[in-house]
Amino acid sequence: MSNLDLKPAASLCGGGGRTGPVRDVQPGKQVPLGESTLVRRLLPNLGRRMVGAWCFVDHYGPDDIAGEPGMQVPPHPHMGLQTVTWLREGEVLHRDSLGSLQTVRPRELGLMTSGRAIAHSEESPRDHTRVLHGAQLWVALPNEQRGKAPSFEHHAELPVITGGGGLSATVILGELAGARSPGTIHSPLVGADITIGAGTHVRLPLESDFEYAVLTIEGETEVDGVRLGPGSLLYLGCGRGELPVRSDVHSSLMLLGGLPFEERIVMWWNFVARSGEEVAAAREAWMAGERFGTVHGYDGPPLPAPALPPVPLKPRGRRR
């Protein structure tokens, strides 16, 4: 999925040390995606740029798209990152410049590793279901992996952890409570979709070296004593061995975590780089029709890149 901002700001992030346990609520920002989808952008934001290697999180829906085109994101480029397509309801048709053509359905993992360069599009199928609800996330690739060949993975079966009170946790990436996702990762991290029943109180096992964040995607949860409804992200810092979560109503949340990403990066538009010069070169290549390949089958032109900002793009470390 693309960052469709016409004037995208550079996210200067990575590097820096670790925090202990914190409870820092980061409100989401409403951002239009294409012509018909409105998303809540939770990362990056003014107070938090990354959680481990997770560097971008959009939450959308639930939207009634009956009689509407639904998601329509034209072909656009990526480099230096992985995209994670995650659905609670609906379907998304993925196409990319490798020739991949895949419909991703609820609780299936669509994982695209851009490596040095790839282009893709995402759209609701012509005959789509009524409701669209999901999340799109990016993972920054470490320096030694960002120049690799691009790839796409689709995993229809993912490990699910169950427990009392209607607890069900699908491991999207990484490992949680001994269950490991088949999705390829390039740095220590975890992503999980967790559902709990009304009146349930659970304690989720965590890695003390990881930093974590939680976002509620349905209902209302209380996470380590903090009430959290849809549309906000709670940053939790490091140093936790477990996380208490309770809810008075049937609720779902996403748990994101990983080792703090020590490398400094520049994230602008749909690129994750290490310098402004790399970003400028990638933008020029995309506009010239070079390097990123061609997405075939999408009914519409590729997305043009926005103009570069008037100030230099420089990595300056993690902002806390």
Side-chain angles (χ1 to χ4, degrees):
M1 186 180 292
S2 174
N3 176 0
L4 299 187
D5 291 349
L6 296 179
K7 296 181 179 179
S11 295
L12 310 172
C13 44
R18 304 182 182 187
T19 67
V22 298
R23 301 175 186 85
D24 188 7
V25 178
Q26 307 286 335
K29 174 185 177 183
Q30 298 276 353
V31 177
L33 184 70
E35 298 180 357
S36 55
T37 303
L38 192 67
V39 304
R40 289 170 287 279
R41 183 147 301 156
L42 300 166
L43 276 181
N45 59 55
L46 291 176
R48 174 63 40 191
R49 300 304 189 195
M50 300 180 77
V51 178
W54 300 98
C55 60
F56 182 95
V57 179
D58 275 353
H59 173 221
Y60 52 89
D63 295 327
D64 187 337
I65 59 172
E68 302 290 336
M71 181 181 295
Q72 298 293 321
V73 181
H76 58 276
H78 283 294
M79 76 170 189
L81 57 89
Q82 292 178 291
T83 66
V84 176
T85 299
W86 185 250
L87 289 167
R88 301 301 306 279
E89 296 179 86
E91 302 155 328
V92 170
L93 179 61
H94 166 96
R95 305 175 192 265
D96 63 41
S97 52
L98 299 175
S100 307
L101 177 63
Q102 179 65 54
T103 300
V104 182
R105 296 180 172 85
R107 301 189 184 279
E108 298 179 353
L109 172 61
L111 178 64
M112 186 180 75
T113 301
S114 70
R116 56 182 176 264
I118 199 171
H120 77 144
S121 65
E122 289 188 302
E123 59 186 303
S124 296
R126 186 180 300 275
D127 297 322
H128 55 68
T129 56
R130 184 183 188 94
V131 178
L132 181 65
H133 184 199
Q136 184 75 17
L137 311 96
W138 297 355
V139 178
L141 290 172
N143 189 58
E144 64 271 17
Q145 298 293 336
R146 65 192 187 96
K148 67 180 298 176
S151 62
F152 176 75
E153 303 173 32
H154 173 248
H155 298 284
E157 300 292 334
L158 296 171
V160 178
I161 303 163
T162 58
L167 170 68
S168 176
T170 302
V171 184
I172 303 169
L173 277 183
E175 183 178 348
L176 179 67
R180 176 174 291 276
S181 165
T184 302
I185 58 175
H186 300 281
S187 59
L189 57 78
V190 66
D193 182 311
I194 300 168
T195 298
I196 58 174
T200 299
H201 184 185
V202 299
R203 291 185 174 271
L204 303 175
L206 303 183
E207 298 286 341
S208 61
D209 288 343
F210 281 19
E211 60 179 347
Y212 288 92
V214 165
L215 61 115
T216 298
I217 52 181
E218 182 183 6
E220 184 179 78
T221 58
E222 183 179 295
V223 181
D224 200 22
V226 178
R227 285 279 178 179
L228 194 64
S232 295
L233 180 140
L234 175 64
Y235 177 69
L236 295 161
C238 297
R240 298 172 184 268
E242 60 180 14
L243 180 65
V245 179
R246 67 178 303 273
S247 181
D248 296 327
V249 297
H250 182 86
S251 300
S252 298
L253 54 89
M254 292 192 78
L255 175 71
L256 304 175
L259 284 180
F261 198 78
E262 303 294 351
E263 299 176 30
R264 298 182 178 185
I265 67 175
V266 176
M267 188 169 73
W268 179 84
W269 196 41
N270 298 302
F271 306 136
V272 171
R274 298 303 186 274
S275 70
E277 291 77 12
E278 286 184 16
V279 169
R283 181 193 180 278
E284 182 178 355
W286 172 248
M287 294 301 290
E290 301 171 350
R291 181 175 159 186
F292 292 92
T294 302
V295 179
H296 296 285
Y298 183 85
D299 185 16
L303 194 68
L308 288 166
V311 297
L313 300 176
K314 296 180 179 179
R316 296 175 183 166
R318 178 188 295 271
R319 292 186 178 182
R320 296 192 181 276

